[in-house]
Structures are given as C-alpha cells and as structure tokens.
C-alpha cells in the first residue's frame, strides 16, 4: 500500500500533469465512491473538466454503478459502444475485475462494457456478493484479534456497491488500531497477514472471457505489478486486446517493456492515474497519467460489437 513516487515525463511518456498538455488527453483508469474511490462520479467529471481532460474512464471494482449514476442529464449513450458526455467531459463505461493467479492479484480492465441488466451485470453482482461474504469473515477475524470493527460503519464508508479491504482499513484508523490505511494493510489485512481472509476470484482467463463475451474490450491493468509477463500470449489468445503501459506503479523500464509487448502482439496501449482520491495511498492525481484521446476510438474499434 506504499504510494510510489510521482512520475514525470522524463520517467515515462504519457505521464505528467494533464492540465499542462495542449493536445486532447484521457485518463482511462479512475475510481469513484461506487467502489473504493473518495469522489462521487459527478465530482470526478468536474475535476476532469478543471484539469483540462477530454475524457475519463470510471473503472470501479466489480460495479458500473458510478457510470450509470451519470446517465441522468447526460448525452451520448445510444448503444453499448457510446460514451457518456457530461459537462463537456466524455466518460467511457469501464470496469476493473480483480482476478487471481497463483496467489497474486491480476487485474483486468474492461472498456465499453454493458450497463444494462443481463449476464454481465449478473456476474458483477456475484462478484460483489463474494466481497460481502469475505468482509463478514474478515470483520469476525479482527474481532477475535481484539479489534472489533463495526460492520455498519464499514458499509457507511463504502457508500457504493463494491465493498473492500480499504473500507475496513479506514474504520481501523478511526478506532485507533492503526495510524494509517497503509499500516492496516502492512500489519493486519494485507495478503498473508493475520487478519487477511482470501476470497474467491475469477481467473485471469475467466475475466478476459467475461469482458469479451459481453462485447467489451479486455485490457491487462498495471501488468508490471503482477510480474507474470509470460501469461500474455495465452491471455491474448483468450481475447485480451490491450495493455495498460502507463500507470503510476510503472517506471520507465516497465513502460518501455509493455509498449514493446503491445507492439509485438498488436495490442492497444492504454493508461491512467488509477485515481482513488488525493488522500488515498493508491494511484496518482487525476490526469497525472494519461493517454491520447484517440485511444478511445481504438478501444471502441476492438469491441466484439464493432
């Protein structure tokens, strides 16, 4: 949970303060209060406009509630391959699914996923139900360790449909068990720690397939954090269409490696700040990591519905 240093243009192309860039740009990895971000979707749009971003992708964990909340009063949505236009900012419907590979988390982003009820939304609900059961088990374990965490307060902080460990960590800070959210993960609820409870995940292949079958575009999120590049050929064969080369957790060497791999496998290059909020230890500030606006058209063309 340690926040990495801020990337600069000298470290990796596609990074730097978005408001200083004259060409249209997009931050394609943003989280809202629908999962573990601190900003409501409307506030994200306002901040994106303030930063001079042409587009963002709200990619909450296991839910599209944040994107759907913007539909009222918005324009642009006629079918699944459309974006939402709100206050002059284009919002791409997206998702982030946390899959598991040999004890490591491997995240898969999905762009232009369906917002309406159907098989894909049913799957997301199943994933959220698994999260809720895991939270109950983790709260029980922490109580046994002498750190009672009120579930109603966790749910209050979660606000949205997708509840996770950061919400438990926030209550642990409130109750004085730890000083920071990072400490909660490092000492108690991080993988392998005494308060950690494993949860069921889709495999990377299942995540890619679910997004592809929904008509969306599957992209490997921050692949450098998983350190499993050898999985790429198989994931491409299963329908992976992109690599998130630009990400706060990627240094210059990571960027260059994934740019080369994307070229080798004819994959779309994406990127984003993984913004959760200025006060959060995850990600970077909105727009600090970005890609050219034209990336959205490339993603749209890669949908199975295109």
């Amino acid at each position: 949970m340690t926040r990495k240093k801020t990337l600069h243009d000298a470290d990796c192309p596609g990074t730097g303060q978005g408001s200083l860039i004259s060409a249209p740009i997009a931050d394609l990895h943003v989280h809202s209060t629908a999962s573990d971000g601190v900003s409501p979707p409307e506030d994200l749009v306002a901040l994106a406009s303030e930063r001079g971003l042409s587009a963002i992708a709200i990619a909450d964990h296991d839910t599209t509630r944040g994107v759907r909340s913007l539909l009222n009063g918005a324009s642009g949505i006629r079918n699944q391959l459309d974006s939402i236009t709100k206050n002059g900012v284009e919002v791409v419907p997206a998702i982030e699914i946390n899959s598991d590979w040999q004890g490591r988390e491997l995240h898969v982003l999905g762009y232009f996923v369906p917002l309406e009820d159907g098989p894909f939304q049913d799957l997301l609900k199943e994933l959220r139900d698994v999260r809720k059961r895991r939270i109950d088990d983790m709260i029980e374990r922490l109580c046994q360790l002498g750190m009672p965490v009120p579930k109603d307060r966790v749910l209050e902080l979660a606000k949205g449909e997708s509840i996770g460990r950061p919400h438990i960590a926030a209550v642990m800070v409130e109750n004085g068990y730890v000083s920071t959210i990072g400490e909660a993960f490092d000492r108690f609820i991080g993988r392998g720690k005494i308060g950690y409870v494993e949860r069921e995940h889709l495999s990377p292949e299942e995540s890619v397939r679910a997004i592809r079958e929904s008509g969306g575009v599957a992209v490997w999120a921050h692949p450098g954090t998983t350190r499993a590049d050898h999985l790429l050929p198989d994931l491409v064969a299963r329908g992976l269409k992109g690599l998130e080369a630009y990400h706060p957790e990627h240094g210059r060497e990571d960027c260059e490696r994934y740019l080369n791999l994307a070229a080798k496998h004819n994959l779309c290059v994406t990127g984003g700040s993984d913004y959760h909020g200025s006060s959060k230890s995850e990600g970077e500030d909105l727009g600090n990591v970005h890609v050219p606006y034209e990336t959205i058209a490339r993603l749209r063309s890669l949908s199975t519905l295109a």
Side-chain angles (χ1 to χ4, degrees):
M1 292 293 292
T2 302
R3 190 183 184 94
K4 295 294 186 72
K5 69 179 181 69
T6 302
L7 290 171
H8 300 285
D9 291 331
D11 297 317
C12 182
T15 62
Q17 182 61 44
S19 61
L20 300 180
I21 307 297
S22 58
I25 57 174
D27 186 336
L28 297 181
H29 192 158
V30 179
H31 294 275
S32 78
T33 47
S35 62
D36 56 346
V38 301
S39 300
E42 291 279 0
D43 290 356
L44 289 175
V45 171
L47 183 58
S49 178
E50 178 184 313
R51 297 282 168 84
L53 293 168
S54 297
I56 60 174
I58 296 181
D60 283 312
H61 297 280
D62 301 338
T63 181
T64 57
R65 179 180 179 181
V67 182
R68 295 198 308 272
S69 72
L70 296 174
L71 289 173
N72 290 334
S75 62
I77 286 289
R78 297 177 303 278
N79 59 60
Q80 187 174 320
L81 296 183
D82 285 327
S83 301
I84 299 167
T85 300
K86 194 84 169 181
N87 297 332
V89 176
E90 188 172 345
V91 181
V92 177
I95 194 76
E96 184 170 15
I97 297 177
N98 299 23
S99 64
D100 183 85
W101 179 77
Q102 294 188 0
R104 305 183 213 175
E105 286 198 357
L106 189 158
H107 294 192
V108 181
L109 292 160
Y111 295 98
F112 295 106
V113 293
L115 300 179
E116 69 277 3
D117 291 343
F120 188 71
Q121 290 295 333
D122 291 343
L123 172 63
L124 295 183
K125 183 180 184 305
E126 290 178 21
L127 295 176
R128 294 193 299 271
D129 288 344
V130 168
R131 282 179 173 271
K132 292 174 183 176
R133 291 194 294 270
R134 184 235 203 150
I135 291 300
D136 288 341
D137 292 342
M138 194 170 289
I139 288 174
E140 181 178 353
R141 180 168 296 185
L142 289 171
C143 185
Q144 293 170 352
L145 293 170
M147 292 179 286
V149 173
K151 182 179 178 180
D152 58 349
R153 180 56 178 156
V154 175
L155 294 174
E156 182 181 359
L157 288 179
K159 298 179 183 177
E161 295 178 326
S162 184
I163 184 171
R165 287 180 292 162
H167 304 119
I168 288 182
V171 179
M172 293 178 71
V173 173
E174 288 183 349
N175 287 7
Y177 305 139
V178 292
S179 299
T180 65
I181 288 176
E183 183 185 354
F185 276 81
D186 292 340
R187 293 181 57 193
F188 298 109
I189 62 174
R191 187 181 288 270
K193 302 302 180 181
I194 192 169
Y196 179 79
V197 174
E198 189 59 75
R199 72 177 171 95
E200 299 174 34
H201 292 81
L202 296 180
S203 69
E205 295 82 5
E206 289 171 332
S207 299
V208 169
R209 183 175 68 246
I211 293 168
R212 175 178 56 80
E213 290 181 349
S214 79
V217 183
V219 173
W220 189 345
H222 41 78
T225 63
T226 308
R227 302 186 183 281
D229 292 356
H230 63 281
L231 297 178
L232 184 58
D234 182 58
L235 292 178
V236 170
R238 304 293 182 102
L240 188 79
K241 296 296 183 181
L243 283 175
E244 188 180 47
Y246 304 124
H247 186 273
E249 296 286 341
H250 287 177
R252 184 178 184 84
E253 290 183 1
D254 294 316
C255 288
E256 292 178 349
R257 182 166 72 257
Y258 293 114
L259 288 172
N260 290 332
L261 285 172
K264 177 180 178 181
H265 294 279
N266 192 29
L267 298 173
C268 181
V269 173
T270 74
S273 63
D274 206 351
Y275 178 73
H276 287 72
S278 300
S279 63
K280 301 280 280 189
S281 60
E282 296 177 78
E284 259 295 341
D285 208 359
L286 187 70
N288 269 18
V289 183
H290 52 259
V291 291
Y293 173 77
E294 290 77 13
T295 305
I296 295 172
R298 175 80 193 280
L299 287 169
R300 186 181 282 112
S301 73
L302 293 171
S303 166
T304 59
L305 300 178

